[in-house]
Amino acid sequence: MIRTVLAGLRPTTVPGLRWSSRVTAGALALVAAAGMFSVLATASGLADLLGNGDDTVLLVTLGGLAGLASSIGFTRIRSAQRIRDADVLGGVTLCLLILIVMVGALHLLIGTTGSFVDALADATAGLTTTALGVLSPDAGDHAGRFLRAGSQWIGGFGALMVAVAILPFFGAEREFADRSRLGGRRPLAPNRRTAVRNIVYLHGVVSVGTWVGFTLAGLGAFDALMVAMATVSTGGMVDGDPFASPAVQYVAIIGMAVTGTSLVVLWRLVVGRSRGLLRSVELRVYLGLLVLGTALFLLWTGGSGPDGIRRAAFTVTAAVTTTGFPSAPSGTWAAAAPVLLLGLVSIGPMTGSTGGGFQIMRHRALLQIALREMVRQLHPRVVSRVRLGGRVVAESTLSQIVVVQFLVVSVVFATATMVAAMGLDLATALGVAVHAISTGGPVRALDGSLLDPTDWSAPVRLAILPAMVIGRLSIYPVMVAASSTVSVVRHRVRLRRRIRAYRGRTR
Amino acid sequence: MTYRRSGPRDRTARQRDRVRSTTAHVTGLALMFISGGMLLSAVVEYVDGTSGTALLLAAVVTAVLGTMLWRSTRPGVLDHATIFTAVGTTWLVASAFGALPYLFAGTFAVAGRPWAVVLADALFESISGYSCTGSTVFGGHNLIGDQGSGVLLYRQLTQWAGGMGIVVLVVTVLPSLRASGLGLIDAEAPGMGVDRLAPRVRDTATRFWKLYAGLTALIAFGLLAAGMGPFDAIAHALTTASTGGFSTRDASIGHWDSLGVELVLVVAMVLGAANFTLHWRSLSLKRVVHFRDHEFRGYLAILGLGTLLVTGMLTMDGMGIGRALRMAVFNVVTLGTSSGFGNATGAESSGDFVRWAAGPQMILLFLMVFGGCTGSTAGGVKVMRLRVGMADAYRTLRAFRRPRALYPVWQGARTVPEAIVARIAGFMVVYGMLVVVGTMVVTALGTDLVTAVGGVIGALGNMGPALGEVGPTDSFVDGFSTPARMVLAVLMLVGRLEIFPMLLMLVAPYRSLRGAGRGGRS
């Protein structure tokens, strides 16, 4: 009976013919992960030359082999004629998971840590840009530091690709893509290829600009690069305390604010179509959150003066953009201050940025859905459409957003319950769950002090990893992948039918 | 001088003199009803040997004002906006007048407290009663046990009246509301739609009340048999049938520390939070039909799973398995049915769930969100909405794999209309926003995060106890500032009326003001 069941699990590929959509997506995911790993490993190995160079040979060799495997693999793929949307999303999830395992293995190989759980947790925190890392590479360990920063940069870049170039073209939130050529505009994402090119261009410009800014602010070139990668990706994992200098803090504030801005807004600034940008409700809400959040935070922590404003702006910007740079609490924190930061992290920045959270556009959609429902209570037969950014949003998109809210709350509850059962107190459990799915650290206690993830047990650190992955990929890809997997297994196994057939044969 | 009997023409003329206002008409009648409860409590106070003058005065004031309002108005047009205004205003005014007995009796007038705080406490207790929440400002400096029997009975009666719904009461006796009364009942408890137990709305409302009264009597007998005294048994029956949770003792059910009492209450709370339509059908058909209902099965599954998880976690924390099971069963059911009774014998005792580990508390928080079944006296989001929400999420994910397929939402053997799915989705969005905004406001008023989250979810779901600083043995005076308590009181009313009536109650008056000069329509 077991052989019968296992026979159903073999993939359906016939040599010489095109692969199925699902197998193609899986293969492409593997190849893409290997390619990104190759770039990361090679770059880390070269970065190690700036230090003692102990790990250069290992890293460059591994990077080279991965690159070779990726190239060969890519040429051997017999791509399906058309890859289904669900398989694309599943492939994206698989790519991230494979990359996490690879980067974790790399941490173990170069000796950043000897613990598998720590390696996996840090790799996940880096690639999901969550700032709940547990490793602290030495100042001289350039390979380890570059690996951490590089994984954040790749994670942030990947998040942009998912938000701007993948999800809108594969069935989710199509209206949020910038595809319109109305008014002679050059859209950011008229098609997939152009979207990828424009994202690489913009992200590269912002990254280089931030690097230069930190260098001018007084950081060394390598340190500036590390901090810039953590800023631009909204990863937030840095080594030591590079923000002791006010100049560095100001650059970080500007860098984070730019990174939390929608790529569409940045694109329009670049192509010279900035007129009317401030009419964008989402942009105004984003800027308003930064200003109002800073003012409230200042009020509730008793801060004052230029230094107080700067520190408040730094903390609030790090929260709104879900970057999560650590900042030690100053003054006396009122009960509302940590709640304000938690709320800002869960709201998140603009849609189409590297930031996490639920994001402003989706919140606006939810608000409009709520208002429409109240109108329907009064006028049940009214036909009412939701408009965002001047465009009518399809009912399917609205339905997806509502479902995302439901799933986010479910994941938060499940994660909080698991970590609470594993020993964290209630406030910390809720904070950890919200930060994990919003991909924004660090977690704070009720008095504002920073909580160290290394103080948590290994099961707790493992329990929050799924929430980080789900949050970074904006829910859909992971959930679609999970439901596809369940469906495939049920279809292949057809356990009840096989059990009945087996019983029929043995009678 | 000739005497002529008044005829139909005279009555019509007198009615024409009355102002057309459904809101005022329904509110007036509701005030007359609640004055009846005050009067009964005054009688009990006199019989008990203490002065019932305060309660009598409150009853007279409420009855006179209610009668004047009722007699000077007649029902007007019943559109959706008017219905929401009528329901929202009735509850608001009834809750406000419901504070009069506490104010006249000086229940919260403890030495040194400003009059504004005394007023706020009286309002809070009244709203907590009528909304069947069960949160209390008694405790510490002002014990429940120090109050007279009349005040205690009045407190219990507020929850009993609020449990079935003041508007349902009005529809039962007001013939002039006729078919539109179903809209009023539906507005008071909007959800999947109210099942008609009879062809006529008035008969439907009457049957609901008969079921409710019958259940109350049954619970009272059960508690008597379990060892409670007559007064306590009746008082607790009133607040169990309504899943309200007020008790006549400071330690709530923990005062008796009796397994028999707890078991009776567990069964009663489960029945109170189940759909009353199922009870009626079971009685009519003379067999139990509850287990054929998917919502009821889901509701029992949630309670069962919650009990198992909490028992396991408490056992792992060192509690004996028997004790853990008893604590888990009672507290899971009391919060899962939005009743809010406590079986803690004191602070730090095993029933004080705010002293439990975080894991069981998270399970309780989850239960506090979802509450009982539709068509019951329970609060919360309701199990049916959870089921529909989960089904909607699943079909959205399936639609990714097959974009052109049509996937209806199934509940049992029936599909749920898309309009209902959209309404439930909208409800859950608004509910989530209220939780977030409410938590932010309450923490801004000086409450810590955990207590605020527990308080807001407890208020919206009409649960009773919160978490953090305010558990089953604590008073809301200790954990929340006066402004924060007022915010929670508003949320209690919003939650009791399932959000939309309270949020939309100002629409009709706004329209009237805008169209002033078209006559007295409201």
Side-chain angles (χ1 to χ4, degrees):
Chain A
M1 188 185 108
I2 294 173
R3 249 183 265 155
T4 317
V5 167
L6 287 175
L9 291 172
R10 263 186 254 127
T12 51
T13 60
V14 178
L17 293 183
R18 286 179 181 275
W19 293 355
S20 70
S21 166
R22 191 171 291 125
V23 172
T24 306
L28 284 171
L30 187 60
V31 158
M36 284 188 274
F37 173 79
S38 160
V39 169
L40 191 56
T42 309
S44 301
L46 294 173
D48 201 39
L49 290 172
L50 297 170
N52 51 26
D54 285 349
D55 300 313
T56 302
V57 172
L58 174 66
L59 287 167
V60 171
T61 307
L62 283 173
L65 286 172
L68 192 63
S70 171
S71 310
I72 295 172
F74 187 73
T75 57
R76 299 298 297 270
I77 293 174
R78 286 198 182 87
S79 182
Q81 203 158 17
R82 187 185 157 269
I83 305 177
R84 288 188 303 206
D85 295 353
D87 294 330
V88 168
L89 299 180
V92 166
T93 308
L94 185 63
C95 179
L96 178 60
L97 293 174
I98 294 171
L99 201 51
I100 286 172
V101 171
M102 285 176 163
V103 171
L106 209 52
H107 275 299
L108 285 171
L109 285 171
I110 65 174
T112 321
T113 178
S115 158
F116 171 72
V117 170
D118 285 356
L120 199 64
D122 209 79
T124 309
L127 285 163
T128 59
T129 68
T130 307
L132 288 176
V134 296
L135 301 180
S136 304
D138 298 330
D141 181 8
H142 288 72
R145 292 175 64 194
F146 192 93
L147 186 59
R148 250 177 144 221
S151 60
Q152 291 176 79
W153 193 85
I154 285 179
F157 179 70
L160 274 179
M161 295 288 284
V162 168
V164 181
I166 294 178
L167 281 180
F169 292 94
F170 291 101
E173 300 173 0
R174 294 176 191 274
E175 292 84 355
F176 295 170
D178 180 32
R179 287 192 270 198
S180 168
R181 293 183 190 273
L182 279 176
R185 283 167 44 188
R186 278 174 61 194
L188 171 69
N191 54 59
R192 277 170 272 170
R193 191 168 291 179
T194 312
V196 170
R197 186 194 72 200
N198 290 340
I199 290 169
V200 169
Y201 167 59
L202 275 175
H203 200 56
V205 164
V206 172
S207 303
V208 169
T210 313
W211 183 16
V212 168
F214 279 121
T215 312
L216 292 173
L219 291 179
F222 186 76
D223 291 337
L225 180 64
M226 298 300 99
V227 179
M229 287 167 109
T231 305
V232 161
S233 61
T234 67
M237 297 202 297
V238 291
D239 311 304
D241 183 20
F243 303 111
S245 151
V248 173
Q249 274 199 359
Y250 279 123
V251 174
I253 291 168
I254 296 168
M256 286 189 283
V258 168
T259 310
T261 310
S262 167
L263 223 54
V264 175
V265 171
L266 295 178
W267 175 253
R268 286 178 66 181
L269 283 170
V270 163
V271 300
R273 293 270 177 187
S274 58
R275 202 193 304 178
L277 259 182
L278 279 176
R279 271 186 281 155
S280 161
V281 176
E282 194 187 11
L283 181 62
R284 283 189 282 176
V285 169
Y286 174 59
L287 295 174
L289 274 177
L290 292 174
V291 171
L292 186 64
T294 304
L296 286 173
F297 188 76
L298 211 53
L299 178 70
W300 286 333
T301 55
S304 61
D307 281 349
I309 295 172
R310 187 193 73 243
R311 277 195 291 267
F314 180 78
T315 306
V316 165
T317 311
V320 171
T321 58
T322 70
T323 307
F325 283 134
S327 56
S330 60
T332 313
W333 284 40
V339 178
L340 171 69
L341 294 180
L342 196 65
L344 291 174
V345 163
S346 61
I347 291 173
M350 295 177 75
T351 320
S353 66
T354 50
F358 200 66
Q359 293 175 346
I360 294 170
M361 187 75 91
R362 291 195 191 104
H363 278 291
R364 284 191 60 216
L366 285 183
L367 186 64
Q368 296 219 18
I369 290 168
L371 288 171
R372 183 172 74 166
E373 198 46 48
M374 286 199 270
V375 168
R376 278 183 179 165
Q377 293 290 319
L378 298 171
H379 306 285
R381 293 182 190 176
V382 73
V383 175
S384 168
R385 293 276 175 252
V386 169
R387 287 179 176 274
L388 288 171
R391 279 173 289 190
V392 171
V393 182
E395 290 302 316
S396 57
T397 303
L398 294 176
S399 174
Q400 286 166 1
I401 292 173
V402 171
V403 164
V404 164
Q405 185 212 25
F406 181 82
L407 292 173
V408 164
V409 172
S410 307
V411 170
V412 167
F413 254 120
T415 307
T417 305
M418 269 196 297
V419 299
M422 289 169 186
L424 294 186
D425 64 271
L426 205 53
T428 307
L430 284 169
V432 165
V434 171
H435 279 277
I437 196 146
S438 304
T439 68
V443 184
R444 292 180 185 267
L446 294 177
D447 61 357
S449 57
L450 297 168
L451 298 178
D452 189 353
T454 55
D455 293 336
W456 306 336
S457 64
V460 169
R461 277 181 260 154
L462 285 175
I464 62 177
L465 301 188
M468 288 188 210
V469 171
I470 289 171
R472 184 69 282 183
L473 293 177
S474 308
I475 311 272
Y476 292 118
V478 179
M479 293 296 178
V480 169
S483 75
S484 288
T485 308
V486 166
S487 172
V488 163
V489 169
R490 278 175 63 191
H491 181 70
R492 289 271 181 240
V493 173
R494 284 177 285 187
L495 194 60
R496 275 191 216 156
R497 208 182 291 184
R498 290 181 192 279
I499 292 172
R500 268 188 252 132
Y502 174 76
R503 281 186 184 155
R505 278 201 298 270
T506 53
R507 274 203 192 120
Chain B
M1 185 170 118
T2 54
Y3 173 73
R4 186 172 62 85
R5 281 177 70 182
S6 59
R9 277 191 198 164
D10 299 305
R11 277 199 289 277
T12 309
R14 276 203 299 277
Q15 281 175 353
R16 273 205 297 270
D17 290 339
R18 297 188 196 175
V19 174
R20 289 185 75 183
S21 171
T22 309
T23 303
H25 199 66
V26 171
T27 304
L29 197 58
L31 286 178
M32 288 164 62
F33 282 132
I34 68 170
S35 70
M38 294 175 194
L39 190 62
L40 178 64
S41 305
V43 168
V44 168
E45 195 93 333
Y46 277 119
V47 165
D48 203 33
T50 42
S51 170
T53 313
L55 286 164
L56 186 62
L57 181 63
V60 166
V61 167
T62 308
V64 164
L65 283 169
T67 308
M68 281 168 56
L69 208 53
W70 179 55
R71 295 286 297 179
S72 62
T73 56
R74 58 188 171 112
V77 172
L78 272 187
D79 57 12
H80 285 88
T82 312
I83 286 173
F84 286 129
T85 305
V87 170
T89 308
T90 301
W91 276 81
L92 208 56
V93 172
S95 303
F97 275 81
L100 286 182
Y102 301 122
L103 287 172
F104 291 166
T107 311
F108 300 109
V110 177
R113 296 184 94 209
W115 68 268
V117 175
V118 172
L119 176 64
D121 283 351
L123 268 174
F124 182 91
E125 199 75 13
S126 173
I127 292 173
S128 180
Y130 283 108
S131 63
C132 300
T133 303
S135 309
T136 183
V137 290
F138 282 109
H141 54 280
N142 193 9
L143 298 175
I144 296 174
D146 294 340
Q147 310 308 316
S149 304
V151 169
L152 292 180
L153 179 65
Y154 171 69
R155 216 168 148 252
Q156 310 297 97
L157 281 171
T158 56
Q159 291 205 319
W160 196 71
M164 182 46 63
I166 301 171
V167 173
V168 174
L169 194 64
V170 166
V171 169
T172 309
V173 296
L174 264 188
S176 49
L177 289 177
R178 292 203 177 96
S180 46
L182 190 65
L184 279 168
I185 296 175
D186 201 25
E188 193 174 44
M192 297 283 289
V194 172
D195 284 352
R196 288 188 186 236
L197 300 184
R200 287 164 57 189
V201 171
R202 192 175 166 185
D203 292 338
T204 296
T206 309
R207 287 182 184 183
F208 271 126
W209 269 102
K210 281 182 183 169
L211 265 176
Y212 189 51
L215 180 64
T216 309
L218 211 63
I219 297 169
F221 283 122
L223 290 172
L224 268 171
M228 263 194 197
F231 179 77
D232 288 323
I234 293 169
H236 284 89
L238 294 172
T239 56
T240 307
S242 58
T243 61
F246 270 165
S247 175
T248 53
R249 307 289 174 169
D250 290 283
S252 190
I253 306 305
H255 171 84
W256 287 272
D257 197 15
S258 157
L259 183 61
V261 167
E262 288 175 22
L263 282 175
V264 169
L265 285 175
V266 161
V267 173
M269 286 189 283
V270 169
L271 289 176
N275 195 328
F276 273 47
T277 312
L278 294 176
H279 299 330
W280 185 264
R281 286 202 192 124
S282 295
L283 286 172
S284 309
L285 298 172
K286 293 187 173 55
R287 65 168 194 269
V288 176
V289 301
H290 291 66
F291 296 102
R292 295 174 67 182
D293 182 63
H294 285 79
E295 188 190 14
F296 186 75
R297 292 209 302 251
Y299 158 66
L300 287 184
I302 290 172
L303 293 178
L305 186 63
T307 304
L308 269 173
L309 287 171
V310 171
T311 308
M313 289 178 191
L314 290 177
T315 314
M316 286 196 310
D317 284 339
M319 209 184 276
I321 188 155
R323 190 98 189 138
L325 184 63
R326 180 178 164 185
M327 293 301 130
V329 166
F330 189 84
N331 287 289
V332 162
V333 170
T334 195
L335 290 177
T337 57
S338 77
S339 300
F341 286 117
N343 68 343
T345 51
E348 312 283 340
S349 66
S350 52
D352 190 4
F353 54 75
V354 295
R355 313 281 181 246
W356 292 354
Q361 289 193 57
M362 275 304 306
I363 306 284
L364 295 181
L365 191 65
F366 175 81
L367 293 167
M368 284 164 72
V369 171
F370 288 104
C373 300
T374 49
S376 71
T377 56
V381 172
K382 304 284 172 48
V383 174
M384 178 63 82
R385 290 193 181 101
L386 170 65
R387 288 173 57 88
V388 170
M390 283 169 59
D392 190 28
Y394 181 58
R395 70 127 172 222
T396 302
L397 293 174
R398 285 179 83 190
F400 267 105
R401 299 205 307 273
R402 289 179 176 77
R404 294 181 188 176
L406 291 175
Y407 293 110
V409 172
W410 289 89
Q411 285 299 305
R414 288 186 293 177
T415 58
V416 179
E418 288 303 317
I420 301 278
V421 176
R423 195 197 300 182
I424 289 173
F427 176 92
M428 290 173 84
V429 166
V430 177
Y431 190 92
M433 285 182 174
L434 283 172
V435 169
V436 169
V437 171
T439 305
M440 289 297 311
V441 171
V442 171
T443 50
L445 294 170
T447 317
D448 68 274
L449 174 63
V450 173
T451 311
V453 168
V456 167
I457 289 177
L460 272 173
N462 307 127
M463 295 291 151
L467 297 172
E469 302 293 316
V470 187
T473 61
D474 302 303
S475 166
F476 272 57
V477 168
D478 302 323
F480 297 95
S481 62
T482 305
R485 289 202 298 279
M486 287 298 98
V487 171
L488 292 179
V490 170
L491 289 176
M492 285 179 206
L493 278 178
V494 170
R496 176 62 185 85
L497 298 176
E498 305 216 348
I499 298 175
F500 292 117
M502 288 300 290
L503 295 183
L504 295 171
M505 62 181 275
L506 294 176
V507 173
Y510 169 71
R511 284 179 184 167
S512 297
L513 282 174
R514 253 193 1 179
R518 280 194 280 161
R521 292 175 68 179
S522 68

